[in-house]
Amino acid sequence: MSPSSQIHAKISGPIVMIGFGSIGKGTLPMIERHLDYDKSRITVIDPKDEGRKAHCEKHNVRFIQQGVTKDNYRDLLTPLLAEGGGQGFCVNLSVDTGSTDIMELCNELGALYIDTVNEPWLGFYFDSSKGPEARSNYALREVTLAAKKARPAGSTTAVSCCGANPGMVSFFVKQALLNVAADLKLNAPKPKTKAEWADLMRQAGVKGIHIAERDTQRSKSPKEPDVFVNTWSVEGFLSEGVQPSELGWGTHEKWMPENARTHEAGCGAAIYLMQPGANTRVRTWCPTRGAQYGFLVTHNESISISDYFTVRDASGTAIYRPTCHYAYHPADDAVLSLHEMFGRAAKMQEKHHILDENEIVDGIDELGVLLFGHDNNAYWYGSQLSIEETRKLAPYQNATGLQVTSAVLGGMVWALENPNEGIVEADEMDFDRLLEIQMPYLGPVKGYYTDWTPLTDRPGLFPEDIDTSDPWQFRNVLVR
């Protein structure tokens, strides 16, 4: 069946979409195309109009121009999610909305929930009274994990962090691991539990994982001064970009940066650096352009993947854990935008611009996972979706957007098929089912081995502080 014709699941109650930026606009046609629901009971809530109301009217969708805040979210969302019977579905695709609070309200109402990011309420990211640890994704995730633990078994499903990344990349990690294990001839059965997945990762000898992404989409018009240009939410990128740089911390690491800090409480799977992620560079590799610099921007999956694949001994001590972090080379215009912003002490541009599908000349978003340190060195597995293919597949989005919206669709279908799973992270979901739903929208999904390491062609003309005994030490990955 073509992507345009298959209904995957039915929603019996109302749909409430919070946020209608680039991802919201792209998600709406996916819902219309693949889900059976009451067309008269779908509402979009967004604080800005900027053409959103007219767009919703064109799709016969009710539009409420209002910000969802800590003070009003219960009064605003409750009647909308309870309207007309059936099980409601809250699709949170906004910024500055407290994910954990909203998913707990949905649980009280018996409504399903999904988001793409673990969002805090307005002000969290830029609160100078909070120390870096308190502003971390680790801290946000621990609050959600506490809510997950507190819930009784069988509570309503809330899918936490299911976009492209976090989200789809966790499905890619499992598929990539199965491919590597098969090529290493480990003859291991397909894991069924978290412990079995972690043990297979350990057996395969994977030292770490980069969420290795290269966005080569180019605009017809050059970037103007004092405009932040991106291929997805500028607010979202700036928020995570000024958080501390965070990474899942592997058991093979022998060196830690001087400005690195560990966490006293929680799962213990990650560290953070006392510097912003969007101003922290790492060495990584993607198939099309090869070796490249990426930004070590904090992401939920960096922590959740390392946590999920941790092997512990009888006393609970971690005896194996892979390092995991984002290594993101955004579109060239976004790189220039970051350079401009950090050049003036992180003073943000007044004007934000997201490149839509009509402005982009060419390019792909090459988004995958690089599993490294095993006997076959390194293996990249992911999506190589082009803007040309995106235009044919779905409206109102570029390649970056479609990788996200197809994951939202997958997560919604999974929640409808598994409605009583409580709070779940992408790492815990059935990756086969989710990729089955997403694949028609991802362009070429391929795997590539490479002999590249962070030590390739180093040291060059100047001496460097590198660890030649193990290429895959973070000491060699971090650009210093």
Side-chain angles (χ1 to χ4, degrees), residues 235-313:
E235 289 90 348
F237 191 25
L238 290 175
S239 298
E240 66 187 28
V242 300
Q243 280 181 277
S245 193
E246 293 182 82
L247 60 156
W249 193 244
T251 44
H252 75 286
E253 301 288 2
K254 296 182 286 194
W255 170 92
M256 201 182 270
E258 277 181 31
N259 68 345
R261 303 287 182 272
T262 57
H263 295 276
E264 297 298 310
C267 70
I271 65 169
Y272 63 99
L273 309 183
M274 296 291 280
Q275 62 191 64
N279 206 21
T280 303
R281 292 184 304 172
V282 286
R283 294 172 179 86
T284 191
W285 184 93
C286 280
T288 302
R289 296 283 173 87
Q292 65 182 37
Y293 278 161
F295 294 109
L296 202 168
V297 176
T298 178
H299 258 213
N300 183 280
E301 80 271 10
S302 305
I303 305 159
S304 73
I305 290 170
S306 277
D307 193 11
Y308 188 85
F309 289 97
T310 297
V311 178
R312 296 182 185 275
D313 65 15

Side-chain angles (χ1 to χ4, degrees), residues 50-99:
E50 297 174 356
R52 291 168 170 83
K53 187 168 188 264
H55 191 101
C56 286
E57 281 169 1
K58 185 173 137 188
H59 285 259
N60 298 312
V61 169
R62 173 172 41 181
F63 179 77
I64 297 174
Q65 189 179 341
Q66 201 171 345
V68 177
T69 69
K70 197 171 187 176
D71 296 328
N72 74 5
Y73 78 98
R74 285 184 164 269
D75 294 340
L76 184 57
L77 298 176
T78 299
L80 294 170
L81 285 166
E83 180 183 48
Q87 184 172 41
F89 208 131
C90 179
V91 185
N92 186 1
L93 304 175
S94 63
V95 293
D96 302 324
T97 51
S99 295

Side-chain angles (χ1 to χ4, degrees), residues 209-428:
I209 301 153
H210 285 175
I211 313 305
E213 178 174 8
R214 179 64 177 252
D215 185 345
T216 65
Q217 293 171 101
R218 295 188 305 143
S219 169
K220 290 173 184 169
S221 313
K223 181 189 118 50
E224 293 177 14
D226 207 31
V227 181
F228 197 111
V229 179
N230 200 16
T231 53
W232 56 283
S233 169
V234 175
E235 289 90 348
F237 191 25
L238 290 175
S239 298
E240 66 187 28
V242 300
Q243 280 181 277
S245 193
E246 293 182 82
L247 60 156
W249 193 244
T251 44
H252 75 286
E253 301 288 2
K254 296 182 286 194
W255 170 92
M256 201 182 270
E258 277 181 31
N259 68 345
R261 303 287 182 272
T262 57
H263 295 276
E264 297 298 310
C267 70
I271 65 169
Y272 63 99
L273 309 183
M274 296 291 280
Q275 62 191 64
N279 206 21
T280 303
R281 292 184 304 172
V282 286
R283 294 172 179 86
T284 191
W285 184 93
C286 280
T288 302
R289 296 283 173 87
Q292 65 182 37
Y293 278 161
F295 294 109
L296 202 168
V297 176
T298 178
H299 258 213
N300 183 280
E301 80 271 10
S302 305
I303 305 159
S304 73
I305 290 170
S306 277
D307 193 11
Y308 188 85
F309 289 97
T310 297
V311 178
R312 296 182 185 275
D313 65 15
S315 71
T317 305
I319 53 170
Y320 167 79
R321 176 185 291 129
T323 292
C324 181
H325 59 82
Y326 198 10
Y328 178 35
H329 191 304
D332 290 352
D333 281 348
V335 175
L336 289 174
S337 302
L338 287 172
H339 189 65
E340 179 180 63
M341 182 183 86
F342 283 117
R344 52 192 194 193
K347 181 174 178 287
M348 293 175 186
Q349 291 89 335
E350 292 291 316
K351 197 173 171 194
H352 297 169
H353 182 68
I354 298 171
L355 297 175
D356 70 30
E357 67 276 19
N358 303 310
E359 295 174 89
I360 296 171
V361 188
D362 57 20
I364 67 173
D365 201 324
E366 187 163 68
L367 169 56
V369 294
L370 185 75
L371 274 62
F372 55 77
H374 48 80
D375 284 349
N376 287 344
N377 189 50
Y379 177 74
W380 187 97
Y381 180 83
S383 161
Q384 299 172 303
L385 181 63
S386 71
I387 184 63
E388 293 82 7
E389 187 159 0
T390 300
R391 290 189 189 110
K392 291 176 193 161
L393 289 171
Y396 313 135
Q397 53 204 317
N398 57 38
T400 311
L402 188 51
Q403 289 167 334
V404 179
T405 61
S406 57
V408 175
L409 171 69
M412 289 181 74
V413 173
W414 189 89
L416 290 159
E417 291 172 348
N418 303 271
N420 305 112
E421 295 295 320
I423 297 172
V424 290
E425 294 186 297
D427 313 282
E428 303 170 292

